[in-house]
Amino acid sequence: MPSVIRRFSSLPSDIHKFQSRADEQWNIHSKLISIHGRLRRARPQSGGDMSASPNDSTEETTAVFPPTYIVIQFSRHIRTTALVWLVDKICGKRLDGGAELLVRKQPHHDGEGLTLHVSASKIKFLEVAEELELRKRDKCGLIREFTVSQLDDFLEEGMHVDDLLTTAEKQYIVRHELENIRALKEDDQVPGYPAFRLYEGQSIVQVCLHWKLLDRMYPLHDQEALGKLGMKWYWALFRKQPFEEIRLYFGEAVALYFTFLGFYTTSLLVPMVLGFLQLFLSSESIAFFCVFNVLWVTVFLEVWKRKCSELAFTWGTIGMTSLDEPRPNYHGVMGIDVVTGRYQPQFPRWKTNARLYCASLPIVLLCMVGAFFVMLASFWAEEMIIHMKKLHGLEAGGLLVLMPSILYSAVVFIMNCYYRKLATFLTEWENHRTQSQFDRHRVTKLVLFEFVNNFMSLFYIAFYIQDMEMLKNQLTVMLIIFQAINNFQEAILPLLIKCYSKKVTKALKFDAILGNKDNEGSSYIRKRRPTLIHEKDSVIPDHIPALEPDDPRIELAIAEGEMENYEGTYDDYLEIFIQFGYVFLFSSVYPMAALWAVVNNILEIRADAFKLCCLYQRPMAKRVKDTGAWQRAFEAVGAMSIMTNCGLLCMSPQLRRLAPSLTSVEWVLLFVVLEHMLLGIRHILHLVIPDRPEWVRVALARINHQSKQALKNERTIKNRRHLFRRYNTVHASLNHND
Amino acid sequence: MPSVIRRFSSLPSDIHKFQSRADEQWNIHSKLISIHGRLRRARPQSGGDMSASPNDSTEETTAVFPPTYIVIQFSRHIRTTALVWLVDKICGKRLDGGAELLVRKQPHHDGEGLTLHVSASKIKFLEVAEELELRKRDKCGLIREFTVSQLDDFLEEGMHVDDLLTTAEKQYIVRHELENIRALKEDDQVPGYPAFRLYEGQSIVQVCLHWKLLDRMYPLHDQEALGKLGMKWYWALFRKQPFEEIRLYFGEAVALYFTFLGFYTTSLLVPMVLGFLQLFLSSESIAFFCVFNVLWVTVFLEVWKRKCSELAFTWGTIGMTSLDEPRPNYHGVMGIDVVTGRYQPQFPRWKTNARLYCASLPIVLLCMVGAFFVMLASFWAEEMIIHMKKLHGLEAGGLLVLMPSILYSAVVFIMNCYYRKLATFLTEWENHRTQSQFDRHRVTKLVLFEFVNNFMSLFYIAFYIQDMEMLKNQLTVMLIIFQAINNFQEAILPLLIKCYSKKVTKALKFDAILGNKDNEGSSYIRKRRPTLIHEKDSVIPDHIPALEPDDPRIELAIAEGEMENYEGTYDDYLEIFIQFGYVFLFSSVYPMAALWAVVNNILEIRADAFKLCCLYQRPMAKRVKDTGAWQRAFEAVGAMSIMTNCGLLCMSPQLRRLAPSLTSVEWVLLFVVLEHMLLGIRHILHLVIPDRPEWVRVALARINHQSKQALKNERTIKNRRHLFRRYNTVHASLNHND
């Protein structure tokens, strides 16, 4: 365990004794003999270079392999030197740049690439958990950073050491270790591929995924846990979602999304009830509801921010900053990190900012303007056609009027695809240090573009054409039909595809038993993910221990490998965001919007849950502390809703009828004043509602205080010897002067 | 040194040995024999209860007393029991609730109250410096919390231990110790005054000041340092202000004010140059300048925020939070503080918030509305008089037209006096925990009221009467005449008063030598600060050591006691704030305003400096981390300036002439759009410019990381023994099960 030794090198030497005692202890803790045995046999591996001692491997192959956390599929065409090098890196010692992980190959057939099951020893998990500063709840209920030496503090009565880390955390640890395999000074290229250059500190796995030397890398589902989760979640339509279980299984990012969706849906009940009331009241009451609605949005977002910080504190992610552990694709000159003193890639912040503001920002603005003109063009075309129809009396071309809308939808779809790639590329190029920063900047870029595509046409109808009936119809279509299609697309369509692909899998399995090569199933896989052109299939070295041929994980790995990849919460948030815009930007015109939104969201929660559990590959757990760019996006729409609603009120004929003596200018001024007052109140609410609840602030202050005290004490102890020595010297020299 | 012992009680016992070694060391450090002797004789006092051992006092009186940091004037009528009790508290042992300070009485004459010079021993200073977590720059240039045990780390080459703490810091420490003398459980009343109830944990000195048992408490000037500072500061008109020296002498709050004033004045040069340019350009360029101006305001405030955080980091105040050491007047049930674990008064936050929002806020709003109506009344009266003059052809009543304005000024002055008391009372009643919070809420209340008084009439002229010439004249008068009067009032008038009062002091001194009682001077003092009605003069106990009759400090204490009290930076900030409003709220009407502001500010800096150094009592040093409520007040005016300037532009006939074809509604809409764009840009600038510069963020993250590591290490060490013990137990029980 070199990392542990390195970390504790400043401590007295008996810490090592303690360390071995503790290791022993874990054995004792594990009462089940099978686990006991597995642990004993697995441990030597964690520190040992497996490929260097192929003699052990025969023994290893017979040992029970711990649960697979990540499956890696190698390209079938990867050159053998590169393959061996990569596997060595994965299993190798930390000092040699390895990740010290445990691997098993899947029994393979010619014509198939190597599929590797990756896991880690218990000690490795605990070690990395400490390194990553994972925060866990200790016996006293205090949430603090986990340390190996305090293991016992974190084990509640009767809790097994295996249960300390959740499967999401273990999977996160394995992935972190895989992605953290970085090129050493001597690794200037991928062996066998002189064209694939490496620089020191680059994440090797990322490079191999980029060059398609690795086909894919995905975690495996835990079928038992998944079944339990499903019963509590998507099969229980009107029960509270099991947020804690979701987090333990899918990680913080997914849990936060579902918490947000739930919170948002509950909060929507208020505007929904108000929308109902409006049906029975006079149309003059519209102004009151409108004012209430926009203030409600502000309060909702502020309260969510507070809730978010509570969750982040409980999950131990509240301390995440932009100076944390860099994400795998972050590149730069390797150097000593000023904060942690670790050896990490360094990239000056001003360069990132320069790229962001001088290149990305203008490009994004240009794209937005472009999208805006495409939108205008579609409206012009529609007008032209209507005009021509009237002029020439074309009767047959009834569908022709719909053409611009259909064409516009198609163009938006294509634009979106390309823009997404552009945004990802630009954000990657900006080279943000942490995953949160990367996500934030990518989402910001995407949201700006989506805003133009989704809302600009409504703005055009509302404020340029000023046709409220058309706006109302448009909103109804969007909120009911659009969302229904979306749910169908998300949950039911993939289910159909899955049924189809199950047949495919069965065929595949059947073929695998018969030993047939080049069957339909595997060619289907290869078609979807073309590898780079390499000469011939690679030879898979024999010294890698294999799983038993009857291991159930093999079938699971194959089945889940074919599932679609869940690309993060972006699309899900986007859906809520667009709905949020529809509901609140024009709520004074269409107060029933909230009702449709609530109906949709109740379905959406379960559809998303089902989708995530059954249709997608298990997503990689991601740690987040807040909704990031989405919070700002929602806030921006909230502010905009004040403006649009005041504008709509100002134009509403019902209200104007109330005071016919007022001139147009006076009406405009009246609503400008109302709008400014609302914006002012919004700002005051923003200032007055603290971002963090009192208890979180106090808890953080306490941790901060304790750390500061500890630093003082440490310095006291460290300096004592030094001070004694120095004082004696001073003594002598002064005496001499006397 | 009980507090040191208490603090180190968790450390091994040899720390005490070390402590005494270190004490010894300080003696050796002090090479001057006189200081050496003073230190040796002074030390026993720091821990000893002086009044309990009156035998020592004869020896003590002959010793050289360290510099006086605070002078306390007792009421001449205070009952002797109360006086003795108070002096005992000041000198008493910490365990008995005392402050362990050194005192000397001024040689007194019958009919005068006791005047006490308060200082502290060197060890006391260092001890409290550690307790207050003062941050100092160490030898490596790193700013971190001072600890006694690391004293040597903070002493640069050739630096004496006496020079480690600045006079401002020492004075701050003495004051903190005085104000931190809190009533014990047995102190249920002030002895001799059954009516003056005390509750546990109340600040005794504050109570005595409140009931006028103490006439006043003020720090003494350090004439030598003051002379040096003055040469560099108010006598050097065009040189950079010596900010670091100001901080060392007057403390952070005053230094921050002067830094802000300097920064603001420098920044004003840009609008000044633009204002000049506008004189030579066509009146249509007004819109461009206006837009530039409002954006400049935003950038200026954002950059100042960054600068503020740099200063706060360098000064070691950046970590101040609302959970810090409570201010002396904070009251509540004594209890264990959840953050620090210390025994401190506790007052639930929700009560403070309830008082703030349910009582203070409505009262303040009511006062604002009241002030607004007074303003309206003055305008109505003026109109009435003009109207009547025209109607009745009154020729003689030329001055009558000015009457409402004069009357209004008088009413505002009186309202201000009462409102100030109300605001202080309300804020005190809200019971905020820290001084910064208290100041912030008090300033917010005051600023809201001042805003109505100072700007509402201009808003009325600009947007209701819409007379731009009148507005311009009003602004000129305010900016030139008003500010000139202000400077005269601030610097020259007090100088005249001082000359007069010097004569008084001389007379007083003459009388003092002759031993005359009830002379003109002392009766003058008594007249200004009437004490509560008490029966007869108190008897001053003899056991309090006295200063030598020829000690120069006696004269200084008397002279400075007569000087006016500097009531904090509030009035100075208010002046800049009002000027800022005049310059930017209506900059499109009167672009030359910036020039007058710059001229005034250059004078203002030196006048304020002179005032502070020569005319006022030395202010108590106050630690701040930012400009608090002022930052928000300036930001609010910045946002408002966008609205007012867009409004003024919209009304300007020059601009309207540019596009005569536009209707009124279109003009209004055009400017609403412009205003929203500017508000949007302002918000984006606010988001994009980080509040803290990169280097501060990194430095804070590093400190945070180090503390967290230290906490981990500490826990590791602490838990080791515990773990060993527990593991053995578990071992045994498991073996038993086997």
Side-chain angles (χ1 to χ4, degrees), chain A residues 66-237:
Chain A
T68 303
Y69 289 102
I70 300 241
V71 174
I72 302 178
Q73 268 187 15
F74 287 72
S75 161
R76 65 181 281 205
H77 298 296
I78 186 173
R79 288 192 190 143
T80 312
T81 43
L83 189 144
V84 170
W85 175 75
L86 251 174
V87 175
D88 278 3
K89 285 276 180 196
I90 294 170
C91 316
K93 273 187 195 160
R94 205 171 240 240
L95 285 175
D96 305 332
E100 298 179 340
L101 295 169
L102 305 181
V103 296
R104 286 293 184 281
K105 68 181 169 195
Q106 214 161 276
H108 66 283
H109 316 284
D110 295 340
E112 267 180 21
L114 171 67
T115 301
L116 221 53
H117 287 236
V118 187
S119 189
S121 68
K122 293 181 182 204
I123 293 169
K124 178 79 189 169
F125 278 128
L126 296 177
E127 252 180 63
V128 183
E130 172 168 347
E131 210 173 283
L132 291 178
E133 302 180 346
L134 287 190
R135 290 159 67 97
K136 304 290 292 177
R137 189 185 290 272
D138 68 7
K139 272 190 291 195
C140 316
L142 200 71
I143 289 153
R144 54 189 174 94
E145 274 160 29
F146 171 77
T147 51
V148 173
S149 54
Q150 286 164 278
L151 179 61
D152 250 27
D153 278 12
F154 292 93
L155 291 175
E156 274 168 52
E157 208 57 51
M159 193 186 196
H160 192 271
V161 72
D162 277 358
D163 304 329
L164 182 73
L165 297 171
T166 67
T167 61
E169 278 167 339
K170 287 184 183 170
Q171 174 222 312
Y172 175 72
I173 286 170
V174 170
R175 183 176 58 130
H176 176 268
E177 286 302 286
L178 280 173
E179 290 185 336
N180 217 23
I181 303 174
R182 289 174 187 275
L184 301 178
K185 216 167 189 173
E186 57 266 30
D187 301 321
D188 54 346
Q189 59 178 53
V190 179
Y193 296 93
F196 298 172
R197 311 289 307 170
L198 288 169
Y199 56 84
E200 199 186 341
Q202 204 171 10
S203 167
I204 288 175
V205 171
Q206 288 289 333
V207 170
C208 293
L209 279 169
H210 180 254
W211 291 117
K212 301 263 195 303
L213 299 181
L214 299 181
D215 269 357
R216 66 188 89 175
M217 189 169 102
Y218 55 92
L220 274 196
H221 269 299
D222 178 342
Q223 292 300 334
E224 194 193 326
L226 195 63
K228 272 189 207 160
L229 181 61
M231 286 309 292
K232 282 195 198 166
W233 197 12
Y234 52 85
W235 289 127
L237 199 63

Side-chain angles (χ1 to χ4, degrees), chain A residues 25 28 675-676 723 727 734, chain B residues 25 28 149 675-676 727 734:
Chain A
Q25 199 50 48
I28 290 153
E675 188 223 351
H676 280 74
L723 276 170
Y727 273 129
L734 265 184
Chain B
Q25 201 49 45
I28 291 153
S149 55
E675 189 223 348
H676 280 75
Y727 272 130
L734 264 184

Side-chain angles (χ1 to χ4, degrees), chain A residues 505-702:
Chain A
T505 322
K506 263 187 195 150
L508 181 80
K509 198 180 155 192
F510 188 67
D511 287 344
I513 292 165
L514 288 179
N516 282 354
K517 296 125 218 174
D518 280 330
N519 53 41
E520 194 200 352
S522 60
S523 73
Y524 165 75
I525 295 170
R526 245 175 292 127
K527 235 182 280 162
R528 282 204 316 183
R529 287 227 173 189
T531 53
L532 284 185
I533 18 75
H534 300 309
E535 314 80 54
K536 49 173 185 166
D537 293 0
S538 51
V539 180
I540 295 163
D542 286 334
H543 72 262
I544 304 171
L547 287 173
E548 301 286 330
D550 58 348
D551 197 308
R553 279 175 282 185
I554 297 172
E555 200 179 320
L556 284 176
I558 294 171
E560 289 181 25
E562 277 167 39
M563 283 177 170
E564 246 189 293
N565 184 16
Y566 180 70
E567 280 173 5
T569 49
Y570 169 74
D571 282 305
D572 298 313
Y573 275 116
L574 183 65
E575 236 175 281
I576 314 184
F577 175 69
I578 292 171
Q579 187 200 74
F580 180 80
Y582 288 157
V583 174
F584 290 102
L585 283 176
F586 307 98
S587 60
S588 58
V589 172
Y590 189 48
M592 287 300 287
L595 171 69
W596 298 118
V598 169
V599 170
N600 174 71
N601 285 357
I602 290 174
L603 292 175
E604 174 90 21
I605 292 175
R606 311 302 158 173
D608 278 354
F610 178 72
K611 177 183 86 176
L612 209 59
C613 290
C614 303
L615 303 178
Y616 281 108
Q617 269 175 22
R618 183 173 185 179
M620 296 276 191
K622 205 186 230 174
R623 289 163 59 76
V624 292
K625 68 167 177 176
D626 53 26
T627 34
W630 291 111
Q631 177 77 27
R632 282 194 184 164
F634 277 84
E635 279 174 9
V637 168
M640 237 170 259
S641 77
I642 293 180
M643 299 171 199
T644 50
N645 282 312
C646 284
L648 290 174
L649 279 186
C650 170
M651 293 176 348
S652 116
Q654 290 100 322
L655 279 182
R656 289 217 171 183
R657 243 178 274 136
L658 284 181
S661 61
L662 287 179
T663 65
S664 264
V665 175
E666 281 168 335
W667 268 106
V668 173
L669 287 178
L670 190 67
F671 281 97
V672 167
V673 170
L674 176 70
E675 188 223 351
H676 280 74
M677 271 174 55
L678 287 175
L679 283 175
I681 293 173
R682 180 176 171 273
H683 190 66
I684 290 169
L685 281 175
H686 182 77
L687 290 180
V688 157
I689 302 175
D691 286 359
R692 288 174 176 175
E694 186 69 7
W695 73 266
V696 174
R697 291 186 56 232
V698 168
L700 285 175
R702 185 168 52 217

Side-chain angles (χ1 to χ4, degrees), chain B residues 39 48 158 224 226 341 350 416 732:
Chain B
L39 179 63
E224 194 191 327
L226 194 63
W350 67 264
N416 253 335

